[in-house]
Amino acid sequence: MAVTQKCQYALRALLELALREGTGAAPAGEIAEHQAIPKRFLEVILNQLRQGGFVASQRGKEGGFYLARPATEVTVGAVIRFMDGPISPVDCHRERPGHDCPLQGGCVFRGLWDEARDALERVYDTRSLADLVAEDRRLRRAAKTADYVI
């Protein structure tokens, strides 16, 4: 299962808000610019994230968006499930009403798909926005250090 572009944009928008956590609301235009997300598309995504309880918004001059929960409490897995649905390495592995696999019950790949799904879930569910903020800051420090090396 590939994470959709829309979900990647949602994660990048949430990362931007996590980077700004505690500093007030961020206008959608700034989020779009800092994370290279088309603004019109971002507005739809932010509205979805607001409906999902990931972000809140504030109107007015100092308006914009901010995290509705602490960055430590928002996992990548929760965002992926909200935006893209169940995590699964293959489409036939997803539980879907009306989907009948001709190999149901006798598929040699089922155990492999289960193991791959468990591994994906373990990675996504153990990474919070706070973890991504820490990694982003580490990468920025490393890049600055590299710039000064002659």
Side-chain angles (χ1 to χ4, degrees), residues 43-57:
E43 289 169 353
V44 171
I45 292 167
L46 287 169
N47 190 38
Q48 249 186 295
L49 291 171
R50 189 173 46 77
Q51 291 172 355
F54 292 96
V55 302
S57 59

Side-chain angles (χ1 to χ4, degrees), residues 1 8 10 38 63 77 127:
M1 167 213 152
Q8 290 176 52
R127 299 304 193 293

Side-chain angles (χ1 to χ4, degrees), residues 91-112:
D91 283 340
C92 70
H93 192 251
R94 293 181 182 211
E95 300 300 327
R96 294 180 300 189
H99 176 72
D100 293 321
C101 176
L103 303 177
Q104 189 78 24
C107 179
V108 69
F109 294 101
R110 182 67 187 212
L112 178 68

Side-chain angles (χ1 to χ4, degrees), residues 60-139:
K61 185 179 176 207
E62 301 294 319
F65 295 87
Y66 56 93
L67 291 178
R69 300 186 302 229
T72 55
E73 295 179 13
V74 179
T75 66
V76 171
V79 177
I80 292 173
R81 285 183 192 89
F82 177 73
M83 297 300 292
D84 286 349
I87 295 170
S88 178
V90 293
D91 283 340
C92 70
H93 192 251
R94 293 181 182 211
E95 300 300 327
R96 294 180 300 189
H99 176 72
D100 293 321
C101 176
L103 303 177
Q104 189 78 24
C107 179
V108 69
F109 294 101
R110 182 67 187 212
L112 178 68
W113 302 150
D114 287 343
E115 202 174 324
R117 181 202 58 228
D118 292 346
L120 281 171
E121 287 181 338
R122 188 171 41 259
V123 170
Y124 294 150
D125 290 339
T126 59
R127 299 304 193 293
S128 70
L129 291 177
D131 296 326
L132 295 174
V133 166
E135 179 65 8
D136 182 74
R137 290 181 177 149
R138 187 192 67 74
L139 290 171

Side-chain angles (χ1 to χ4, degrees), residues 8-57:
Q8 290 176 52
Y9 286 158
L11 286 163
R12 288 177 14 206
L14 289 168
L15 171 64
E16 185 65 28
L17 296 177
L19 287 164
R20 298 165 177 243
E21 192 171 32
T23 64
E30 286 183 20
I31 298 167
E33 183 180 328
H34 289 192
Q35 292 296 324
I37 303 169
K39 188 175 182 223
R40 284 188 319 165
F41 201 34
L42 176 63
E43 289 169 353
V44 171
I45 292 167
L46 287 169
N47 190 38
Q48 249 186 295
L49 291 171
R50 189 173 46 77
Q51 291 172 355
F54 292 96
V55 302
S57 59

